[in-house]
Amino acid sequence: MPRSSRSPEDSCDQPENVAHVSREVRPRRIIQRGRNICRMTEAPLSNASDAFLLPVRINAPGLTQCMLECVSWITCLACFLRTRAHRVLFNTCRYKLFIHKLIEKAGVLILCAFGFWMFSVHLPSKMDIWQEDSIDSPLQSLRMYQEKVRHHTGEIQDLRGHLNQLIAKLQEMEAMSDEQKMTQKIIKMIQGDYIEKPDFALKSIGASIDFEQTSATYNHDKACSYWNWIRLWNYAQPPDVILEPNVTPGNCWAFSGDRGQVTIRLAQKVYLSNLTLQHIPKTISLSGSLDTAPKDFVIYGVEGSPKEEVFLGAFQFQPENIIQTFQLQNQPPRTFGAVKVKISSNWGNPRFTCLYRVRVHGSVTLPREQPN
């Protein structure tokens, strides 16, 4: 086979040239790394054919030839691997630079997109919050005012309820006071205290009846108790019953007809001013009428051992008013120890007349003002 005219020295020089080329390519690649990427790709492509070197045939005898060929093949393989390594490293650096720039650009874009997203998402919410705050602040104040108004309205209603309760209690107290007043008035009417005058004809303080100057008591068959046609006792009340405050139906002194008199010894000598007569009301009368009540009567003042009688006044009793006080027409400036009540008529009963209670009023000392 024909062999190549190149010597082994040429084969040895070629790798050096390749290495020299590669050395020249590396600084160029380093210098052009900051420049355009297209320039970086042109230089390796122009020298790409130099990396594919074939082994050179060596004309040597026997073992030497084989060794040289092996060295040649190894050298070629080393050059090829070196070239591939340089290309891979170059491409790796280029890719790294591209990826780095791409990552930088992508990072900037991502940051811009994130910032725009944050601005577009949060700024409307902030605006809405600001608008809601600007709207809610008067609404909130209005709601607080409404709550205060409701609270004060409830307090006013409570106060009104308490006021109504107080008014009701006051009305109840007034009604109770009126009832108490009425009760006291009734008690006074029953007891005779509402006259508020001292009674000198009261039996409990020493007054009595002068029976010699008093008419006889009326005796009736219904007022007597019999046993085998024998009278045992008489239920008729004596004249001194008119000196007691117990005014109940039947508890009176009765005398025959419509004319009679009673003389009352006073508890002590007094200056006379008034006389009071009391009768039961028609509503509790057993007969349903007041025909036994006295009508016209005359009052005398009795004094002295010869029993001098002094005219004090003539009056008429109206049974519709169960208690009547008469002011004496004649009030001499002297004291009297007894009073005579002379009845000249009644209100229609021909059989008897009833006296329930007689009171005599006056004073122990001489009154300062004398009535005309």
Side-chain angles (χ1 to χ4, degrees), residues 15 46 55 105 121 185 211 219 225 250 265 269 304 307 311 365:
S46 62
K105 300 295 183 182
V121 170
K185 187 175 180 180
F211 291 97
N219 293 321
S225 177
R265 298 191 185 98
K269 293 181 179 182
K307 292 188 179 179
F311 175 80
T365 61

Side-chain angles (χ1 to χ4, degrees), residues 303-342:
E303 182 58 34
S305 55
K307 292 188 179 179
E308 178 186 1
E309 295 181 0
V310 179
F311 175 80
L312 300 178
F315 308 96
Q316 187 179 81
F317 179 77
Q318 301 294 330
E320 290 80 9
N321 298 326
I322 59 175
I323 300 177
Q324 297 179 36
T325 300
F326 305 95
Q327 186 174 0
L328 299 180
Q329 299 171 358
N330 182 22
Q331 298 183 18
R334 55 178 295 187
T335 59
F336 295 94
V339 173
K340 178 187 286 189
V341 179
K342 190 174 183 179

Side-chain angles (χ1 to χ4, degrees), residues 77-116:
L77 181 61
C79 291
F80 176 76
L81 292 175
R82 185 178 179 183
T83 303
R84 289 294 179 184
H86 282 292
R87 183 174 293 179
V88 169
L89 290 173
F90 174 76
N91 292 331
T92 302
C93 293
R94 186 179 64 182
Y95 290 153
K96 284 183 179 180
L97 181 63
F98 177 74
I99 290 170
H100 180 69
K101 290 185 177 182
L102 182 62
I103 289 172
E104 288 181 355
K105 300 295 183 182
V108 172
L109 291 175
I110 290 171
L111 289 175
C112 292
F114 182 75
F116 179 76

Side-chain angles (χ1 to χ4, degrees), residues 144-196:
M144 291 175 65
Y145 180 74
Q146 289 179 352
E147 291 294 332
K148 290 181 179 179
V149 170
R150 291 176 183 174
H151 181 68
H152 291 301
T153 304
E155 290 182 352
I156 291 170
Q157 290 179 356
D158 294 336
L159 291 174
R160 185 178 296 174
H162 291 302
L163 183 61
N164 292 330
Q165 291 179 359
L166 290 174
I167 291 172
K169 289 182 179 179
L170 288 175
Q171 290 177 354
E172 289 179 358
M173 292 176 67
E174 289 179 356
M176 290 176 64
S177 63
D178 293 338
E179 291 178 357
Q180 290 178 356
K181 290 179 181 179
M182 185 61 67
T183 304
Q184 292 177 359
K185 187 175 180 180
I186 292 172
I187 292 173
K188 288 181 179 180
M189 289 176 64
I190 294 173
Q191 296 179 353
D193 295 336
Y194 79 99
I195 298 176
E196 296 181 354

Side-chain angles (χ1 to χ4, degrees), residues 109-152:
L109 291 175
I110 290 171
L111 289 175
C112 292
F114 182 75
F116 179 76
W117 178 75
M118 292 289 292
F119 182 80
S120 63
V121 170
H122 292 281
L123 182 62
S125 62
K126 295 292 184 181
M127 293 293 291
D128 294 336
I129 291 171
W130 180 78
Q131 292 178 356
E132 290 178 357
D133 292 337
S134 63
I135 296 172
D136 290 339
S137 57
L139 290 176
Q140 187 175 4
S141 62
L142 182 60
R143 289 173 183 171
M144 291 175 65
Y145 180 74
Q146 289 179 352
E147 291 294 332
K148 290 181 179 179
V149 170
R150 291 176 183 174
H151 181 68
H152 291 301

Side-chain angles (χ1 to χ4, degrees), residues 216-253:
T217 302
Y218 175 72
N219 293 321
H220 193 268
D221 293 337
K222 294 181 179 179
C224 299
S225 177
Y226 293 89
W227 180 74
N228 293 332
W229 302 99
I230 299 174
R231 180 183 291 183
L232 296 179
W233 59 80
N234 192 353
Y235 286 103
Q237 298 294 337
D240 56 359
V241 73
I242 65 175
L243 306 179
E244 297 176 356
N246 185 12
V247 181
T248 55
N251 191 30
C252 65
W253 172 63

